[in-house]
Structures are given as C-alpha cells and as structure tokens.
Amino acid sequence: MHRDFAHVKRVVVKIGTNLLSNARGIDAEQIERMAANIAALRQQHIQVLLVSSGAIGLGARLLGRSSAVRKIALRQACASIGQPLLMSHYRLALKKFDLIPAQLLITRSDLNERRSYVNLRNAVENLLDLGVVPVFNENDVVSTAEIGTAFGDNDQLSAFVASKTDADLLIILTDIDGLYTKNPKKEKDGRLISEIEHVDDAILACAGEAGSTFSTGGMKTKILAAEIAANAGCATIIANGGKKDILPRLVAGETLGTWIHAAKRMSQRARWILNSSAKGTIKIDDGAVRALYNHKSLLPSGVVGVEGVFRAGDVVYINKIAKAVPYYSSEEIKAMAGRQSADMVRILGTPKRDVLFRPEDIVFLDPVKEEI
Ligand code: GLU
C-alpha cells in the first residue's frame, strides 16, 4: 500500500542504545544527525517527542564496565550517572538548531495512575506549545522489574508515550533496517518485511529476542510496541537510524523500514485497561466465555475461581481472553463464585450490582474472536 503520512502532526521517535553508541562510547555524530533530523521535521510543523535509551550504557562506560549490567543496584547507578550525560549531548546537538530539550523520566505507574498521567500530559502539551523537544526515558533509578513498576524496555515506553499523547506516528530507530523474515545478523536469506497490516503470531515468530550488551529490547519488543501504538490509532515504522535524513524521508512516505499499520483507535479508557498490568485473574466457565463474546453480562454464577489479590477498580484478566475492571474485590468475587445473583445480598451483606463488570470496562485481547 502507498505510504501517506501527510496527516502526521505529532511523531514519537525512539532511539535505541545500539544506535547511540559506538566502540568508544556515545556516538556524538549520530546524536547530531538526529538533531538535524528533528529540526527538519520541526520545519514542517511536525511536533517531535523523543524517547531515548542509552543512559545505562553511558553510565556503565564511564565506570569502565564493558560487560552487560544486570545487577539492579548497578543499573540504577549507571542510569543516574548516564542520564545527565545523555541529556547534555542532546542539549549541545539541538542547540545548533535553536532547539531546547526537556528531560522527562517516567515510570509505568506514572502512566497507570490517572492523576499523574493527566499531570504528565499537561506538562508535555505545555512543552510542545513552548517549542521544546521532550526527551523521555524510563526512570531506571526508581522503577525496577523487581517491584513491578518497570516498562522494561524503551520500545514499550515509546508506544505508551505515543498512545497517551495521541501521536499519529511512532518511529522506532534501531541499527538494522526493520523486521526481517529471519534474523539478518545470523542468516543470509532473510527478507525485509516492509509492511504489516496486522501483527499476528507469524509476524511475532520472525522477531527474535533481545540482543546486545547494554540495550534491553529486541525486534519482538518493537513489534509488541507497534501493537500498543496501533490500538491507539497510531502507525509505527521500525527503521535504521543510521540512514541519512531518515526521519524526513520516512514522514515523506519513502519505502524504508517496516511499516505497521494503525488499527481502529480504541477509547482512552479501553487503552488504559489494555495497557495496565493485571493484578489477578477471574476464571470463568465456557458458558460465561460464550456469553461474554456475545456482549452479555458476566454473572457470579459463571465464575469458577479467582487468582491474585485485587481491589474493586483494579485491572484483572478474565481467563486469558480479556482484561477488565471489576466492581468487586478478589475476596468478594471469591465469596460469590458459582452463586446465583439472588444470593448476593446475603453473601455480601449489602445490595450491590449482580454483574461483575460494566460492559465498557471489558477489553478483549483478541479482537477477531470478539466478533464471533
Ligand atoms: N532505559 C534504559 C537506558 O536508558 C534503556 C532501556 C532499553 O534499552 O530499552 O539505558
């Protein structure tokens, strides 16, 4: 299909660690190229939000480490050493184009919590109005995988930023040309996939796991990121950031990299449910599954089990088919499981709704089945 990005007004650009570093450390020329690319988009009145990795790698090199940094405490230290260095490179490079960067360090919970997310969104809009270039990174000092608050990789973070700021295009820049049918670093007969209409298992199978010393992501995380963006009505291009004038060329519709189409834009509420980490699972029987797919309400009689501890209003899984926000806590649902609606007042002590969720608070993980 012809690539037409003439409508694009807001782009999120993710730059990976591998792209930013060379054998000696940070690749200052690459950062300068990026600054020139960003300036070119700004000339076309396109807003650019940057998501840049590289803090941990920069910090590690300054400490004289050459192997992967796995220990959490050391990752935290490297991130806090490397982040100001990273920003000073962006500041110097963007200055040549009279552009000012702003640093935004965020965690997954900042985006999950409505209040902090609204605050963040206002701050971003304000920065963009001021003509500033927001530069995001994960706040690796406070958010670690151990406490479950991490995005884990900046591919996902960039997709969430694109989704939350209603960007029209997410560009993930890396050091290879896009998604290949086979890993081009290992096999010769791989072919570049230039267009993906819908991410499915066959596409995910083409994407291997993470690769290099300091970066976290791989092709798989990029494809998963593109899926998150697609649900927000945002297209993604995965491309080689080492290519000349890559950003303006991509926005002009040149056939470079892998373009993953946008899907139908889900509501903010549905995206929030889909993108939040689930606190537990409500297990339901086959009859209830069918009812759910037919957009009928889920009653306590269809519940066969509850896993995890959650409060009313938390996001949970329903089997593995949907994510939803229940009216009730895990304790209450456990007490009601398998019972008839008429028994609910007796069980809970207070009259409450007999359905477990509002229909708009259920989001199916596989939209194709939903149409059955
Ligand atoms: N936040 C990490 C850093 O700045 C990068 C994570 C990733 O590689 O995706 O070093």
Side-chain angles (χ1 to χ4, degrees):
M1 206 208 255
H2 171 63
R3 296 191 189 190
D4 183 1
F5 298 123
H7 65 286
V8 168
K9 288 277 162 278
R10 182 173 288 186
V11 183
V12 173
V13 178
K14 188 258 172 175
I15 307 180
T17 300
N18 294 347
L19 192 60
L20 289 179
S21 37
N22 56 26
R24 294 181 306 281
I26 193 129
D27 185 345
E29 275 173 29
Q30 178 62 34
I31 296 219
E32 275 166 29
R33 267 199 299 276
M34 280 297 118
N37 271 254
I38 292 165
L41 293 192
R42 293 288 307 261
Q43 290 262 309
Q44 300 176 36
H45 305 290
I46 295 172
Q47 295 175 326
V48 184
L49 294 86
L50 217 58
V51 174
S52 181
S53 304
I56 295 178
L58 273 180
R61 282 187 205 268
L62 206 68
L63 288 177
R65 309 255 162 179
S66 55
S67 55
V69 181
R70 293 224 169 75
K71 271 209 196 117
I72 295 291
L74 193 57
R75 285 182 74 81
Q76 290 168 306
C78 289
S80 52
I81 294 165
Q83 183 64 27
L85 284 176
L86 188 63
M87 287 309 296
S88 79
H89 281 283
Y90 279 117
R91 196 180 63 78
L92 287 176
L94 286 165
K95 198 165 176 241
K96 292 190 182 144
F97 302 92
D98 286 329
L99 290 171
I100 301 170
Q103 170 181 274
L104 292 103
L105 297 180
I106 60 170
T107 64
R108 193 167 179 143
S109 40
D110 292 335
L111 293 189
N112 277 351
E113 297 287 335
R114 188 165 164 75
R115 272 211 306 200
S116 52
Y117 149 63
V118 171
N119 252 338
L120 177 73
R121 192 177 158 116
N122 290 341
V124 172
E125 294 297 336
N126 198 27
L127 287 169
L128 291 170
D129 285 347
L130 290 167
V132 169
V133 181
V135 183
F136 290 81
N137 196 357
E138 177 149 23
N139 192 344
D140 294 303
V141 180
V142 300
S143 85
T144 61
E146 274 54 30
I147 55 170
T149 55
F151 294 98
D153 60 80
N154 277 1
D155 296 327
Q156 289 211 49
L157 185 145
S158 68
F160 287 124
V161 169
S163 164
K164 298 280 185 181
T165 61
D166 291 319
D168 317 289
L169 182 62
L170 167 63
I171 299 178
I172 301 184
L173 295 178
T174 182
D175 57 350
I176 50 173
D177 287 348
L179 180 68
Y180 282 78
T181 48
K182 291 177 186 171
N183 184 346
K185 288 185 175 162
K186 292 187 185 139
E187 286 164 276
K188 284 209 179 67
D189 56 341
R191 187 178 52 78
L192 181 72
I193 303 171
S194 85
E195 185 174 349
I196 298 170
E197 275 186 42
H198 177 74
V199 173
D200 55 20
D201 290 348
I203 291 293
L204 282 170
C206 297
E209 302 293 337
S212 76
T213 315
F214 293 123
S215 70
T216 319
M219 260 312 150
K220 195 162 179 183
T221 55
K222 291 177 180 44
I223 300 295
L224 294 175
E227 249 191 319
I228 294 169
N231 286 331
C234 174
T236 300
I237 307 174
I238 302 168
N240 192 335
K243 289 225 160 96
K244 196 170 174 333
D245 299 330
I246 186 73
L247 294 181
R249 285 167 74 192
L250 287 174
V251 171
E254 222 179 288
T255 316
L256 290 164
T258 302
W259 166 37
I260 300 118
H261 290 207
K264 201 173 118 217
R265 177 173 270 173
M266 286 185 174
S267 69
Q268 281 277 6
R269 173 85 179 157
R271 276 185 263 158
W272 174 77
I273 295 172
L274 198 63
N275 296 333
S276 294
S277 345
K279 296 265 163 53
T281 302
I282 299 175
K283 300 206 151 176
I284 61 173
D285 62 24
D286 292 347
V289 169
R290 273 196 303 279
L292 219 55
Y293 277 136
N294 287 317
H295 301 283
K296 301 248 168 62
S297 305
L298 181 61
L299 301 171
S301 54
V303 176
V304 291
V306 177
E307 282 172 5
V309 178
F310 51 84
R311 292 171 304 183
D314 283 343
V315 173
V316 299
Y317 278 114
I318 307 177
N319 291 3
K320 285 268 181 282
I321 60 168
K323 273 180 160 178
V325 180
Y327 278 129
Y328 299 101
S329 69
S330 47
E331 281 311 304
E332 289 172 317
I333 297 177
K334 256 185 210 158
M336 292 188 287
R339 307 292 190 91
Q340 296 305 316
S341 304
D343 297 335
M344 282 175 66
V345 178
R346 192 171 46 73
I347 299 164
L348 297 176
T350 49
K352 280 194 179 179
R353 297 172 179 84
D354 62 347
V355 296
L356 299 185
F357 310 92
R358 293 193 308 171
E360 58 269 41
D361 280 347
I362 301 177
V363 182
F364 289 91
L365 302 180
D366 183 351
V368 182
K369 274 218 192 92
E370 197 188 342
E371 283 153 19
I372 286 174

